[in-house]
């Protein structure tokens, strides 16, 4: 079994539960916390479109509520054939709890995937260290 299989299974379950009636674009995200526990989230859209929430933000809420404060691995899963690349806002959200070398696995529903680091997705970032 691949080491990301457990994350992918949870991401598929989260994607199935997405509330995406406006875009039809269902996303699942799974985070591994510093404790080793996994936290999933889905996108939750709203009739007032700007009030919609990305899957990564939902997963981060679960992680914080679960008592974790670090993210050590990320997997995001989108629909279609192209691996989902997290939006800019979610790259910033993840940076709050992760490191530049934190692995991020990008998946599509068809199984296309590749892995890179958060630092590669978000170079020259403004993060918690920037304030000190
Ligand atoms: N979405 C996510 O959940 N995560 C991302 O990183 C990119 C976009 C959602 C937001 C919206 O519900 C739908 O995908 C289309 O943009």
């Amino acid at each position: 079994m691949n080491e990301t299989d457990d994350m992918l299974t949870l991401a598929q379950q989260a994607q199935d539960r997405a509330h995406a009636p406006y875009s039809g674009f269902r996303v699942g995200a799974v985070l591994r916390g510093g404790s080793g526990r996994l936290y999933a989230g889905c996108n939750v859209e709203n009739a007032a479109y700007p009030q919609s929430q990305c899957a990564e933000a939902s997963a981060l809420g679960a992680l914080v509520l679960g008592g974790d404060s670090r993210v050590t691995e990320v997997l995001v899963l989108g629909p279609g054939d192209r691996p989902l690349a997290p939006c800019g806002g979610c790259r910033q959200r993840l940076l709050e709890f992760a490191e530049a070398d934190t692995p991020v696995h990008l998946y599509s529903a068809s199984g296309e995937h590749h892995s890179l680091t958060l630092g590669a997705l978000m170079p020259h970032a403004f993060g918690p260290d920037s304030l000190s």
Side-chain angles (χ1 to χ4, degrees):
M1 180 163 131
N2 189 293
E3 64 185 18
T4 58
D5 281 357
D6 52 349
M7 298 182 81
L8 183 58
T9 299
L10 276 181
Q12 288 164 336
Q13 291 169 356
Q15 187 184 37
D16 284 346
R17 293 185 185 168
H19 178 73
Y22 305 106
S23 71
F25 194 90
R26 304 169 84 85
V27 181
V30 174
L31 310 175
R32 192 181 302 280
S35 67
R37 283 198 298 275
L38 296 178
Y39 301 93
C42 59
N43 52 334
V44 182
E45 297 184 350
N46 192 280
Y49 299 166
Q51 303 307 322
S52 299
Q53 175 159 298
C54 284
E56 297 91 327
S58 299
L60 280 169
L63 177 132
V64 171
L65 180 63
D68 264 295
S69 55
R70 303 305 300 159
V71 170
T72 63
E73 193 172 4
V74 179
L75 186 148
V76 289
L77 169 66
D81 293 334
R82 208 178 328 160
L84 181 104
C87 77
C90 285
R91 296 176 196 203
Q92 182 72 37
R93 288 189 179 97
L94 291 167
L95 191 69
E96 184 72 14
F97 301 96
E99 308 295 331
D101 64 358
T102 300
V104 184
H105 311 292
L106 314 181
Y107 273 80
S108 73
S110 68
E112 292 295 311
H113 62 96
H114 59 94
S115 300
L116 70 181
T117 63
L118 186 57
L121 281 170
M122 191 77 170
H124 309 293
F126 184 92
D129 291 349
S130 308
L131 293 173
S132 54

